[in-house]
Amino acid sequence: MKSLYLMRHAKSSWSFEDLTDEQRPLNGRGRDDAPRMGQALVKRNIKIDLLLSSAAVRALTTAALVAKELDYPHERIVVRPEIYHADVQVLLDVVRSCPDEADSVLLVGHNNTISEFANLLSPGALHEEMPTAGIVCLHTQAERWADVDQANTEFYFFDRPRDKPRDIE
């Protein structure tokens, strides 16, 4: 079985009018929530084999903060620029291109697409929009990432920052 973790980037800042959307950094809440969600994955004994991120600063920073909590080497984060403006088909193509040696993949992206993608692979998994720093876990029976589709993928869990205590140890 393979596990796919879909994460919406943490809360970003709108304070810098001179920055492009892709350059927006995380705000204080985002810098707190991202590592907290990484700690929540650690508490679930989750190990990531491959971490993929959008090139947007807020997504890449989220990925780096989560990676640190998971002891996943920063230099192994794979930046996939196409995630930034992706539609669900692009995200599916990204997932289907993952190396089969990776049994556990975390993809950090953007809404609305990340929520739509979770619901594409597991209809009804989300009854709401994924909040910033939210993580959906899907399990697939596909032996190869190239074969992932709705028929072989099911919802496992949905974690939100508001559900996680601020003092995870």
mmCIF file of all heavy atoms in Angstrom, residues 112-153:
data_model
loop_
_atom_site.group_PDB
_atom_site.id
_atom_site.type_symbol
_atom_site.label_atom_id
_atom_site.label_comp_id
_atom_site.label_asym_id
_atom_site.label_seq_id
_atom_site.Cartn_x
_atom_site.Cartn_y
_atom_site.Cartn_z
ATOM 1 N N ASN A 112 -7.722 26.173 -4.532
ATOM 2 C CA ASN A 112 -8.772 25.192 -4.349
ATOM 3 C C ASN A 112 -8.375 23.821 -4.866
ATOM 4 O O ASN A 112 -9.028 22.815 -4.565
ATOM 5 C CB ASN A 112 -10.057 25.629 -5.056
ATOM 6 C CG ASN A 112 -10.654 26.845 -4.428
ATOM 7 O OD1 ASN A 112 -10.559 27.059 -3.227
ATOM 8 N ND2 ASN A 112 -11.274 27.670 -5.230
ATOM 9 N N THR A 113 -7.313 23.777 -5.617
ATOM 10 C CA THR A 113 -6.937 22.544 -6.306
ATOM 11 C C THR A 113 -6.632 21.400 -5.356
ATOM 12 O O THR A 113 -7.018 20.266 -5.618
ATOM 13 C CB THR A 113 -5.731 22.797 -7.239
ATOM 14 O OG1 THR A 113 -6.022 23.910 -8.072
ATOM 15 C CG2 THR A 113 -5.451 21.589 -8.097
ATOM 16 N N ILE A 114 -5.940 21.656 -4.243
ATOM 17 C CA ILE A 114 -5.556 20.559 -3.352
ATOM 18 C C ILE A 114 -6.805 19.907 -2.747
ATOM 19 O O ILE A 114 -6.880 18.671 -2.635
ATOM 20 C CB ILE A 114 -4.536 21.035 -2.288
ATOM 21 C CG1 ILE A 114 -3.760 19.858 -1.715
ATOM 22 C CG2 ILE A 114 -5.159 21.856 -1.208
ATOM 23 C CD1 ILE A 114 -2.573 19.441 -2.519
ATOM 24 N N SER A 115 -7.817 20.696 -2.400
ATOM 25 C CA SER A 115 -9.077 20.142 -1.887
ATOM 26 C C SER A 115 -9.808 19.369 -2.982
ATOM 27 O O SER A 115 -10.331 18.272 -2.740
ATOM 28 C CB SER A 115 -9.984 21.253 -1.366
ATOM 29 O OG SER A 115 -9.428 21.875 -0.239
ATOM 30 N N GLU A 116 -9.856 19.926 -4.170
ATOM 31 C CA GLU A 116 -10.516 19.251 -5.292
ATOM 32 C C GLU A 116 -9.812 17.934 -5.612
ATOM 33 O O GLU A 116 -10.467 16.929 -5.924
ATOM 34 C CB GLU A 116 -10.518 20.153 -6.520
ATOM 35 C CG GLU A 116 -11.400 21.373 -6.375
ATOM 36 C CD GLU A 116 -11.194 22.392 -7.491
ATOM 37 O OE1 GLU A 116 -10.372 22.158 -8.416
ATOM 38 O OE2 GLU A 116 -11.859 23.445 -7.432
ATOM 39 N N PHE A 117 -8.490 17.922 -5.518
ATOM 40 C CA PHE A 117 -7.725 16.721 -5.808
ATOM 41 C C PHE A 117 -8.004 15.628 -4.771
ATOM 42 O O PHE A 117 -8.180 14.455 -5.123
ATOM 43 C CB PHE A 117 -6.231 17.065 -5.867
ATOM 44 C CG PHE A 117 -5.356 15.929 -6.304
ATOM 45 C CD1 PHE A 117 -5.612 15.233 -7.473
ATOM 46 C CD2 PHE A 117 -4.260 15.568 -5.551
ATOM 47 C CE1 PHE A 117 -4.790 14.187 -7.883
ATOM 48 C CE2 PHE A 117 -3.429 14.532 -5.952
ATOM 49 C CZ PHE A 117 -3.699 13.833 -7.127
ATOM 50 N N ALA A 118 -8.069 15.995 -3.501
ATOM 51 C CA ALA A 118 -8.403 15.018 -2.455
ATOM 52 C C ALA A 118 -9.770 14.401 -2.734
ATOM 53 O O ALA A 118 -9.949 13.180 -2.636
ATOM 54 C CB ALA A 118 -8.381 15.674 -1.078
ATOM 55 N N ASN A 119 -10.724 15.230 -3.118
ATOM 56 C CA ASN A 119 -12.067 14.729 -3.406
ATOM 57 C C ASN A 119 -12.148 13.966 -4.720
ATOM 58 O O ASN A 119 -13.003 13.094 -4.876
ATOM 59 C CB ASN A 119 -13.085 15.866 -3.377
ATOM 60 C CG ASN A 119 -13.472 16.236 -1.966
ATOM 61 O OD1 ASN A 119 -13.671 15.381 -1.120
ATOM 62 N ND2 ASN A 119 -13.551 17.526 -1.703
ATOM 63 N N LEU A 120 -11.270 14.265 -5.658
ATOM 64 C CA LEU A 120 -11.215 13.491 -6.901
ATOM 65 C C LEU A 120 -10.801 12.053 -6.603
ATOM 66 O O LEU A 120 -11.418 11.098 -7.074
ATOM 67 C CB LEU A 120 -10.223 14.111 -7.888
ATOM 68 C CG LEU A 120 -9.912 13.253 -9.115
ATOM 69 C CD1 LEU A 120 -11.043 13.357 -10.126
ATOM 70 C CD2 LEU A 120 -8.591 13.650 -9.747
ATOM 71 N N LEU A 121 -9.748 11.900 -5.799
ATOM 72 C CA LEU A 121 -9.238 10.562 -5.505
ATOM 73 C C LEU A 121 -10.099 9.822 -4.491
ATOM 74 O O LEU A 121 -10.151 8.590 -4.499
ATOM 75 C CB LEU A 121 -7.794 10.638 -5.013
ATOM 76 C CG LEU A 121 -6.766 10.986 -6.081
ATOM 77 C CD1 LEU A 121 -5.380 11.089 -5.477
ATOM 78 C CD2 LEU A 121 -6.781 9.970 -7.219
ATOM 79 N N SER A 122 -10.750 10.539 -3.618
ATOM 80 C CA SER A 122 -11.602 9.918 -2.602
ATOM 81 C C SER A 122 -12.850 10.778 -2.434
ATOM 82 O O SER A 122 -12.905 11.635 -1.546
ATOM 83 C CB SER A 122 -10.844 9.792 -1.281
ATOM 84 O OG SER A 122 -11.619 9.132 -0.326
ATOM 85 N N PRO A 123 -13.838 10.583 -3.304
ATOM 86 C CA PRO A 123 -15.032 11.436 -3.274
ATOM 87 C C PRO A 123 -15.651 11.522 -1.879
ATOM 88 O O PRO A 123 -15.824 10.516 -1.197
ATOM 89 C CB PRO A 123 -15.979 10.750 -4.253
ATOM 90 C CG PRO A 123 -15.078 10.024 -5.188
ATOM 91 C CD PRO A 123 -13.915 9.563 -4.339
ATOM 92 N N GLY A 124 -15.926 12.742 -1.474
ATOM 93 C CA GLY A 124 -16.546 12.961 -0.175
ATOM 94 C C GLY A 124 -15.570 12.962 0.981
ATOM 95 O O GLY A 124 -15.975 13.093 2.130
ATOM 96 N N ALA A 125 -14.260 12.833 0.697
ATOM 97 C CA ALA A 125 -13.265 12.838 1.774
ATOM 98 C C ALA A 125 -13.346 14.139 2.568
ATOM 99 O O ALA A 125 -13.238 14.141 3.786
ATOM 100 C CB ALA A 125 -11.853 12.650 1.212
ATOM 101 N N LEU A 126 -13.528 15.221 1.858
ATOM 102 C CA LEU A 126 -13.620 16.530 2.510
ATOM 103 C C LEU A 126 -15.030 17.059 2.357
ATOM 104 O O LEU A 126 -15.564 17.110 1.264
ATOM 105 C CB LEU A 126 -12.654 17.532 1.859
ATOM 106 C CG LEU A 126 -11.180 17.181 1.874
ATOM 107 C CD1 LEU A 126 -10.387 18.254 1.145
ATOM 108 C CD2 LEU A 126 -10.685 17.036 3.289
ATOM 109 N N HIS A 127 -15.600 17.455 3.447
ATOM 110 C CA HIS A 127 -16.926 18.069 3.407
ATOM 111 C C HIS A 127 -16.797 19.579 3.578
ATOM 112 O O HIS A 127 -17.778 20.261 3.820
ATOM 113 C CB HIS A 127 -17.820 17.470 4.489
ATOM 114 C CG HIS A 127 -17.989 15.994 4.332
ATOM 115 N ND1 HIS A 127 -18.723 15.432 3.321
ATOM 116 C CD2 HIS A 127 -17.481 14.963 5.032
ATOM 117 C CE1 HIS A 127 -18.682 14.124 3.411
ATOM 118 N NE2 HIS A 127 -17.931 13.816 4.440
ATOM 119 N N GLU A 128 -15.578 20.036 3.463
ATOM 120 C CA GLU A 128 -15.259 21.454 3.603
ATOM 121 C C GLU A 128 -13.999 21.711 2.789
ATOM 122 O O GLU A 128 -13.326 20.785 2.358
ATOM 123 C CB GLU A 128 -15.020 21.797 5.072
ATOM 124 C CG GLU A 128 -13.841 21.029 5.677
ATOM 125 C CD GLU A 128 -13.674 21.227 7.166
ATOM 126 O OE1 GLU A 128 -14.361 20.539 7.931
ATOM 127 O OE2 GLU A 128 -12.837 22.074 7.534
ATOM 128 N N GLU A 129 -13.681 22.954 2.606
ATOM 129 C CA GLU A 129 -12.424 23.316 1.953
ATOM 130 C C GLU A 129 -11.280 23.015 2.918
ATOM 131 O O GLU A 129 -11.402 23.235 4.123
ATOM 132 C CB GLU A 129 -12.461 24.801 1.620
ATOM 133 C CG GLU A 129 -11.266 25.286 0.862
ATOM 134 C CD GLU A 129 -11.439 26.731 0.459
ATOM 135 O OE1 GLU A 129 -12.092 26.985 -0.570
ATOM 136 O OE2 GLU A 129 -10.917 27.601 1.189
ATOM 137 N N MET A 130 -10.190 22.516 2.392
ATOM 138 C CA MET A 130 -9.041 22.240 3.251
ATOM 139 C C MET A 130 -8.494 23.562 3.792
ATOM 140 O O MET A 130 -8.210 24.478 3.030
ATOM 141 C CB MET A 130 -7.956 21.506 2.455
ATOM 142 C CG MET A 130 -6.852 20.975 3.336
ATOM 143 S SD MET A 130 -5.514 20.163 2.414
ATOM 144 C CE MET A 130 -6.379 18.850 1.620
ATOM 145 N N PRO A 131 -8.347 23.690 5.104
ATOM 146 C CA PRO A 131 -7.808 24.935 5.662
ATOM 147 C C PRO A 131 -6.305 25.009 5.439
ATOM 148 O O PRO A 131 -5.655 24.003 5.132
ATOM 149 C CB PRO A 131 -8.127 24.807 7.153
ATOM 150 C CG PRO A 131 -8.093 23.340 7.403
ATOM 151 C CD PRO A 131 -8.646 22.713 6.146
ATOM 152 N N THR A 132 -5.743 26.192 5.616
ATOM 153 C CA THR A 132 -4.295 26.319 5.520
ATOM 154 C C THR A 132 -3.657 25.366 6.523
ATOM 155 O O THR A 132 -4.141 25.194 7.636
ATOM 156 C CB THR A 132 -3.834 27.769 5.784
ATOM 157 O OG1 THR A 132 -4.365 28.208 7.031
ATOM 158 C CG2 THR A 132 -4.264 28.698 4.659
ATOM 159 N N ALA A 133 -2.593 24.708 6.085
ATOM 160 C CA ALA A 133 -1.828 23.716 6.846
ATOM 161 C C ALA A 133 -2.589 22.418 7.100
ATOM 162 O O ALA A 133 -2.100 21.544 7.800
ATOM 163 C CB ALA A 133 -1.277 24.289 8.153
ATOM 164 N N GLY A 134 -3.770 22.269 6.514
ATOM 165 C CA GLY A 134 -4.510 21.021 6.635
ATOM 166 C C GLY A 134 -3.827 19.909 5.858
ATOM 167 O O GLY A 134 -3.167 20.159 4.849
ATOM 168 N N ILE A 135 -3.991 18.684 6.340
ATOM 169 C CA ILE A 135 -3.381 17.518 5.694
ATOM 170 C C ILE A 135 -4.438 16.425 5.549
ATOM 171 O O ILE A 135 -5.101 16.053 6.514
ATOM 172 C CB ILE A 135 -2.205 16.953 6.522
ATOM 173 C CG1 ILE A 135 -1.109 17.996 6.684
ATOM 174 C CG2 ILE A 135 -1.652 15.676 5.871
ATOM 175 C CD1 ILE A 135 0.026 17.552 7.613
ATOM 176 N N VAL A 136 -4.550 15.917 4.339
ATOM 177 C CA VAL A 136 -5.401 14.772 4.058
ATOM 178 C C VAL A 136 -4.487 13.601 3.731
ATOM 179 O O VAL A 136 -3.538 13.746 2.954
ATOM 180 C CB VAL A 136 -6.340 15.040 2.870
ATOM 181 C CG1 VAL A 136 -7.027 13.769 2.400
ATOM 182 C CG2 VAL A 136 -7.370 16.088 3.233
ATOM 183 N N CYS A 137 -4.767 12.445 4.321
ATOM 184 C CA CYS A 137 -4.027 11.227 4.002
ATOM 185 C C CYS A 137 -4.935 10.299 3.221
ATOM 186 O O CYS A 137 -6.062 10.021 3.632
ATOM 187 C CB CYS A 137 -3.537 10.525 5.260
ATOM 188 S SG CYS A 137 -2.724 8.946 4.905
ATOM 189 N N LEU A 138 -4.424 9.834 2.093
ATOM 190 C CA LEU A 138 -5.117 8.855 1.266
ATOM 191 C C LEU A 138 -4.232 7.628 1.146
ATOM 192 O O LEU A 138 -3.007 7.750 1.016
ATOM 193 C CB LEU A 138 -5.392 9.432 -0.125
ATOM 194 C CG LEU A 138 -6.178 10.749 -0.170
ATOM 195 C CD1 LEU A 138 -6.200 11.297 -1.585
ATOM 196 C CD2 LEU A 138 -7.585 10.564 0.359
ATOM 197 N N HIS A 139 -4.841 6.454 1.178
ATOM 198 C CA HIS A 139 -4.111 5.208 0.954
ATOM 199 C C HIS A 139 -4.542 4.653 -0.388
ATOM 200 O O HIS A 139 -5.736 4.701 -0.729
ATOM 201 C CB HIS A 139 -4.410 4.187 2.037
ATOM 202 C CG HIS A 139 -3.748 4.494 3.336
ATOM 203 N ND1 HIS A 139 -4.063 3.821 4.495
ATOM 204 C CD2 HIS A 139 -2.788 5.376 3.687
ATOM 205 C CE1 HIS A 139 -3.329 4.288 5.490
ATOM 206 N NE2 HIS A 139 -2.563 5.241 5.024
ATOM 207 N N THR A 140 -3.592 4.138 -1.129
ATOM 208 C CA THR A 140 -3.920 3.524 -2.409
ATOM 209 C C THR A 140 -3.409 2.093 -2.445
ATOM 210 O O THR A 140 -2.337 1.794 -1.909
ATOM 211 C CB THR A 140 -3.367 4.338 -3.593
ATOM 212 O OG1 THR A 140 -3.739 3.686 -4.812
ATOM 213 C CG2 THR A 140 -1.855 4.489 -3.548
ATOM 214 N N GLN A 141 -4.187 1.253 -3.055
ATOM 215 C CA GLN A 141 -3.793 -0.141 -3.254
ATOM 216 C C GLN A 141 -2.931 -0.294 -4.502
ATOM 217 O O GLN A 141 -2.419 -1.382 -4.766
ATOM 218 C CB GLN A 141 -5.040 -1.032 -3.366
ATOM 219 C CG GLN A 141 -5.889 -1.043 -2.110
ATOM 220 C CD GLN A 141 -5.129 -1.523 -0.881
ATOM 221 O OE1 GLN A 141 -4.355 -2.463 -0.945
ATOM 222 N NE2 GLN A 141 -5.336 -0.844 0.239
ATOM 223 N N ALA A 142 -2.768 0.778 -5.260
ATOM 224 C CA ALA A 142 -1.929 0.722 -6.464
ATOM 225 C C ALA A 142 -0.499 0.364 -6.079
ATOM 226 O O ALA A 142 0.040 0.901 -5.112
ATOM 227 C CB ALA A 142 -1.962 2.064 -7.190
ATOM 228 N N GLU A 143 0.096 -0.529 -6.825
ATOM 229 C CA GLU A 143 1.486 -0.903 -6.567
ATOM 230 C C GLU A 143 2.443 0.086 -7.191
ATOM 231 O O GLU A 143 3.590 0.208 -6.770
ATOM 232 C CB GLU A 143 1.754 -2.315 -7.079
ATOM 233 C CG GLU A 143 0.996 -3.363 -6.283
ATOM 234 C CD GLU A 143 1.297 -4.776 -6.743
ATOM 235 O OE1 GLU A 143 2.366 -5.001 -7.358
ATOM 236 O OE2 GLU A 143 0.464 -5.648 -6.484
ATOM 237 N N ARG A 144 1.955 0.780 -8.216
ATOM 238 C CA ARG A 144 2.765 1.801 -8.896
ATOM 239 C C ARG A 144 2.007 3.123 -8.840
ATOM 240 O O ARG A 144 0.789 3.149 -8.986
ATOM 241 C CB ARG A 144 2.993 1.413 -10.366
ATOM 242 C CG ARG A 144 3.699 0.109 -10.569
ATOM 243 C CD ARG A 144 3.821 -0.317 -12.043
ATOM 244 N NE ARG A 144 2.766 0.185 -12.901
ATOM 245 C CZ ARG A 144 2.984 0.910 -14.013
ATOM 246 N NH1 ARG A 144 4.202 1.196 -14.419
ATOM 247 N NH2 ARG A 144 1.975 1.336 -14.751
ATOM 248 N N TRP A 145 2.749 4.208 -8.631
ATOM 249 C CA TRP A 145 2.115 5.524 -8.594
ATOM 250 C C TRP A 145 1.400 5.823 -9.907
ATOM 251 O O TRP A 145 0.366 6.490 -9.924
ATOM 252 C CB TRP A 145 3.145 6.619 -8.281
ATOM 253 C CG TRP A 145 3.561 6.611 -6.846
ATOM 254 C CD1 TRP A 145 4.782 6.231 -6.348
ATOM 255 C CD2 TRP A 145 2.784 6.990 -5.707
ATOM 256 N NE1 TRP A 145 4.797 6.346 -4.981
ATOM 257 C CE2 TRP A 145 3.581 6.814 -4.559
ATOM 258 C CE3 TRP A 145 1.481 7.450 -5.542
ATOM 259 C CZ2 TRP A 145 3.129 7.089 -3.271
ATOM 260 C CZ3 TRP A 145 1.025 7.731 -4.259
ATOM 261 C CH2 TRP A 145 1.845 7.548 -3.144
ATOM 262 N N ALA A 146 1.925 5.308 -11.001
ATOM 263 C CA ALA A 146 1.317 5.551 -12.310
ATOM 264 C C ALA A 146 -0.112 5.023 -12.391
ATOM 265 O O ALA A 146 -0.889 5.453 -13.242
ATOM 266 C CB ALA A 146 2.176 4.924 -13.408
ATOM 267 N N ASP A 147 -0.461 4.101 -11.501
ATOM 268 C CA ASP A 147 -1.790 3.476 -11.532
ATOM 269 C C ASP A 147 -2.776 4.062 -10.524
ATOM 270 O O ASP A 147 -3.897 3.556 -10.393
ATOM 271 C CB ASP A 147 -1.646 1.969 -11.275
ATOM 272 C CG ASP A 147 -0.812 1.285 -12.342
ATOM 273 O OD1 ASP A 147 -0.835 1.750 -13.506
ATOM 274 O OD2 ASP A 147 -0.121 0.302 -12.009
ATOM 275 N N VAL A 148 -2.383 5.103 -9.805
ATOM 276 C CA VAL A 148 -3.272 5.701 -8.806
ATOM 277 C C VAL A 148 -4.497 6.296 -9.496
ATOM 278 O O VAL A 148 -4.383 7.043 -10.464
ATOM 279 C CB VAL A 148 -2.536 6.794 -8.000
ATOM 280 C CG1 VAL A 148 -3.500 7.605 -7.157
ATOM 281 C CG2 VAL A 148 -1.462 6.176 -7.132
ATOM 282 N N ASP A 149 -5.654 5.938 -8.985
ATOM 283 C CA ASP A 149 -6.899 6.543 -9.449
ATOM 284 C C ASP A 149 -7.970 6.391 -8.369
ATOM 285 O O ASP A 149 -7.718 5.822 -7.308
ATOM 286 C CB ASP A 149 -7.363 5.972 -10.787
ATOM 287 C CG ASP A 149 -7.722 4.494 -10.735
ATOM 288 O OD1 ASP A 149 -8.037 3.971 -9.646
ATOM 289 O OD2 ASP A 149 -7.679 3.862 -11.799
ATOM 290 N N GLN A 150 -9.137 6.886 -8.661
ATOM 291 C CA GLN A 150 -10.228 6.887 -7.691
ATOM 292 C C GLN A 150 -10.623 5.471 -7.275
ATOM 293 O O GLN A 150 -10.997 5.233 -6.126
ATOM 294 C CB GLN A 150 -11.425 7.612 -8.309
ATOM 295 C CG GLN A 150 -12.558 7.856 -7.367
ATOM 296 C CD GLN A 150 -13.681 8.565 -8.081
ATOM 297 O OE1 GLN A 150 -14.536 7.912 -8.670
ATOM 298 N NE2 GLN A 150 -13.658 9.890 -8.050
ATOM 299 N N ALA A 151 -10.515 4.516 -8.177
ATOM 300 C CA ALA A 151 -10.961 3.147 -7.902
ATOM 301 C C ALA A 151 -10.090 2.428 -6.876
ATOM 302 O O ALA A 151 -10.548 1.499 -6.216
ATOM 303 C CB ALA A 151 -11.004 2.340 -9.196
ATOM 304 N N ASN A 152 -8.820 2.851 -6.729
ATOM 305 C CA ASN A 152 -7.924 2.135 -5.817
ATOM 306 C C ASN A 152 -7.413 2.998 -4.664
ATOM 307 O O ASN A 152 -6.460 2.641 -3.995
ATOM 308 C CB ASN A 152 -6.747 1.513 -6.580
ATOM 309 C CG ASN A 152 -5.923 2.532 -7.338
ATOM 310 O OD1 ASN A 152 -5.838 3.703 -6.956
ATOM 311 N ND2 ASN A 152 -5.303 2.108 -8.430
ATOM 312 N N THR A 153 -8.069 4.118 -4.432
ATOM 313 C CA THR A 153 -7.607 5.055 -3.402
ATOM 314 C C THR A 153 -8.742 5.346 -2.434
ATOM 315 O O THR A 153 -9.891 5.502 -2.833
ATOM 316 C CB THR A 153 -7.121 6.370 -4.058
ATOM 317 O OG1 THR A 153 -6.094 6.047 -5.003
ATOM 318 C CG2 THR A 153 -6.561 7.331 -3.031
#
